[in-house]
Amino acid sequence: MAGAAVIIDGSALAESLKQDVRKRVAALGRPVHLAAVLVGATPAGEMYAQRQADACRNVGIDYELRKLPADVTQEQLKQEIHRLNADPSVTGIMMHLPLPQGLDATRMQHEIDVIKDVEGVNPANIGYVVYGHTIIAPCTALSVIELIKSTQREIRGAEAVVVGASEIAGKPIALLLAEQMATVTLCHVATRDLKLHTRRAEILVVAVGKPGLIDADSVRDGAVVVDVGINRITLADGSKKTVGDVDFDSVKAKASHITPVPGGVGPMTVAMLLRNTLRSAELLAAHQR
Ligand code: NAD
């Protein structure tokens, strides 16, 4: 029915996830300690790290920021990751991106201990998802699944279309939807007729980085629409605004459920990093490491 979409409240969902993490951290009986590696700190990187530190402290997770200079070599960064891998007091490791030019992020992510890899970015962790033995899955993809589940829409058997096929967002999202037994179509920049696919979607996830890419005409009546995109746009009066990839106002008149930007996937991804950090610590405890 026109105008009837339920706005999925990612902030509220994130809050309840954090409360659950806080209880489980307290119940674990040993410290949960996240080490975050920041290479060549920029003001934006520092601000993001500060927010992360606050989020961790709020749920009882110890947060340590390991700052390395922008001219650090690949070998030195690798050594630092290995040191954190071997440190029994460190239960989780993440690396802030982007890395300065000359450093290979994928190779460095490969070095992170599979169990301490709280972002689920080590290729082995993606591989385990494929084989159905998930250890740690990527935070954004997990958030998308939780947001869809919160709508009570059955994922099994649903036509799910993911737009955007990056390693960090689109591909892992498609993988987790496939694991939940959706019929998944993965669209990207080379997709010939995007609307042909998006109009079939009962579940539509968009992770591209192009404001307004998906309008009401691209959406099936009653679809669940999850907007992963984060774009800063300048309005006619010169002010700035954060929007997603989906034209929220027109699509909400057609969808059954829709995530807002901000307030949808973003806060859930932060909360999911905390849940993954707890999971790493629980797995290490189970392995007596
Ligand atoms: P990316 O640039 O790495 O990948 C973009 C993808 O979109 C590519 O697969 C490309 O093929 C596809 N694409 C480009 N133009 C297209 C078009 N016209 N039609 C269909 N597909 C097209 O970007 P990314 O890192 O995956 O991020 C995508 C967006 O999601 C960005 O806005 C980013 O800020 C946001 N993001 C949000 C979160 C979060 O937690 N909310 C996390 C990660 C990324």
Side-chain angles (χ1 to χ4, degrees):
M1 197 207 310
V6 172
I7 316 291
I8 306 170
D9 188 345
S11 301
L13 209 58
E15 209 37 62
S16 71
L17 201 77
K18 285 185 200 166
Q19 275 177 25
D20 179 56
V21 170
R22 193 178 298 125
K23 275 190 219 140
R24 283 166 57 190
V25 166
L28 188 63
R30 55 191 258 174
V32 180
H33 179 159
L34 175 62
V37 178
L38 178 62
V39 184
T42 58
E46 297 256 17
M47 197 174 83
Y48 185 73
Q50 186 54 51
R51 285 209 201 119
Q52 208 171 53
D54 294 343
C56 282
R57 284 191 196 108
N58 256 319
V59 296
I61 294 174
D62 301 332
Y63 183 86
E64 175 193 0
L65 187 62
R66 306 287 305 174
K67 284 194 213 173
L68 299 174
D71 61 357
V72 72
T73 65
Q74 187 117 316
E75 188 53 34
Q76 288 167 327
L77 179 54
K78 190 170 139 183
Q79 299 280 323
E80 177 63 11
I81 293 170
H82 287 185
R83 199 193 62 71
L84 295 170
N85 285 345
D87 184 342
S89 74
V90 172
T91 60
I93 303 168
M94 66 144 305
M95 191 169 63
H96 287 282
L97 295 184
L99 293 178
Q101 272 208 332
L103 295 174
D104 184 337
T106 311
R107 274 185 63 190
M108 292 299 100
Q109 287 168 335
H110 209 138
E111 300 297 329
I112 300 175
D113 180 283
V114 171
I115 297 184
K116 294 187 181 184
D117 172 29
V118 297
E119 292 184 295
V121 289
N122 183 316
N125 270 326
I126 306 282
Y128 286 124
V129 174
V130 173
Y131 286 106
H133 306 300
T134 305
I135 297 177
I136 304 276
C139 303
T140 305
L142 284 171
S143 302
V144 167
I145 298 294
E146 288 295 320
L147 288 159
I148 296 167
K149 283 187 173 169
S150 78
T151 67
Q152 313 296 328
R153 177 69 56 96
E154 185 161 20
I155 301 179
R156 188 184 172 87
E159 288 286 341
V161 175
V162 180
V163 186
S166 70
E167 283 78 28
I168 184 81
K171 280 182 192 158
I173 292 166
L175 211 55
L176 292 195
L177 283 165
E179 196 196 16
Q180 299 284 321
M181 304 293 281
T183 300
V184 184
T185 304
L186 182 59
C187 300
H188 41 69
V189 72
T191 298
R192 277 197 289 272
D193 185 349
L194 186 61
K195 274 188 192 177
L196 178 80
H197 301 285
T198 58
R199 279 176 166 169
R200 282 191 301 104
E202 295 167 276
I203 295 170
L204 177 61
V205 183
V206 192
V208 171
K210 289 212 163 94
L213 180 69
I214 300 296
D215 58 11
D217 194 41
S218 311
V219 175
R220 176 173 173 162
D221 269 319
V224 171
V225 179
V226 178
D227 191 352
V228 182
I230 303 174
N231 308 289
R232 286 292 282 171
I233 59 163
T234 307
L235 301 176
D237 65 1
S239 62
K240 300 259 188 201
K241 190 180 177 201
T242 301
V243 298
D245 294 339
V246 174
D247 178 28
F248 184 81
D249 289 333
S250 70
V251 172
K252 84 170 193 287
K254 215 167 169 193
S256 72
H257 296 79
I258 185 168
T259 58
V261 178
V265 179
M268 272 300 280
T269 299
V270 176
M272 206 50 85
L273 179 77
L274 302 175
R275 196 173 85 179
N276 275 358
T277 303
L278 165 70
R279 179 164 166 77
S280 289
E282 287 176 342
L283 286 168
L284 287 168
H287 287 77
Q288 309 266 311
R289 277 178 57 189

